[in-house]
Amino acid sequence: MLHQKKCQVLIISGESGSGKTESAKYLLQQLVYLGKAPNRNLEMKLLQVDKILEIFGNAKKGLHQNSSRFIKFLNVTFTRTGKITGAEISIYLLEDSRVIHHELNETNFHVFQVILHGMAAEGKSENLSQIFKKNYKYLQENGNFSSSSEPQAENVRRFQDLHKGLHLIGFRDEEIFAIYEIIIAILHLGEIEFDIDSENDTCSVLKADELKIVSTLLGISVGDLGVALTSRNVTISGETVLLRNSINHAIITKDSLAKILYNRLFQWIVNQINALLGISCAAYGSTLTIGILDMFGFDSSPTNSLEQLIINTANEQLQYLFNQYIFAWEQQVV
């Protein structure tokens, strides 16, 4: 980069569990060490980014205890003299279907157990601790409760690191607490059940207490949330009609809301990190960049998500491109 004065990109690919995420960590640490940021605080912020995204975007999958379930492109910025000035993150293909369902020997994203164990141990909020449960449906494997792959003490430590990391990057206390509330709200959203009206093929919310917990955590009215889950608006010939959902439609709506909430929360966290790191980029400049692309690896399970199918295809194409380039290069050398 410094010799040619051109931006560079590093692509890390391979099978699931081959060490891509760890390699990306060491690459970032090396770039931060070589770049020698204008202030020590910026270096610490950059190193915290990976830890935070790992908690929100990684999960246990098979024998791999810390599998990335999204694509991360970290664009590290430098001055023309090689001083690191910040970074910008882009994320793609977050496997949000994992929020509502995961296969045997897999877990939901780490953040759910980390926040549950961490807040219970730290006593961050009496209001939240009173609504904690042990067996959330979204944390189960095929109907059986799935305990965290990490011991509770480890989750408490990771919660402390997460809390400190968010503070260090620049998140305000109210923003951090809002993140925790949304995570707990998603878990309680999975606890909402519906009562079927067989005569009209419609349904109503069975557990009003769970509905109230979710609405309180999300800051919306109980009535609006109940209507949103049990009915839908359909526009026919320019006229909007309110239709009642069947129990199957209501369950699909509830699960879709949980996935969208998590996806939007993850995107918002990334956008906030970019905004906070962008301050140093504006101050010191960002003439050159080194991008690190860390994508979750090729894998095959009994049931695969759409995101996994796309990733498998992308990995095959990358391998094909690599083979073509290497063979063509070797032929030129010979």
Side-chain angles (χ1 to χ4, degrees), residues 122 149 178 233 261:
E122 299 268 316
S149 57
N233 290 324
L261 275 173

Side-chain angles (χ1 to χ4, degrees), residues 265-308:
L265 175 63
F266 196 28
Q267 292 281 358
W268 178 82
I269 291 172
V270 170
N271 290 338
Q272 287 295 102
I273 291 174
N274 285 338
L276 293 167
L277 293 180
I279 297 173
S280 60
C281 290
Y284 300 112
S286 54
T287 307
L288 299 171
T289 63
I290 296 179
I292 302 174
L293 180 64
D294 178 17
M295 53 196 296
F296 58 101
F298 187 97
D299 202 356
S300 179
S301 301
T303 303
N304 295 288
S305 64
L306 173 63
E307 294 86 356
Q308 187 65 61

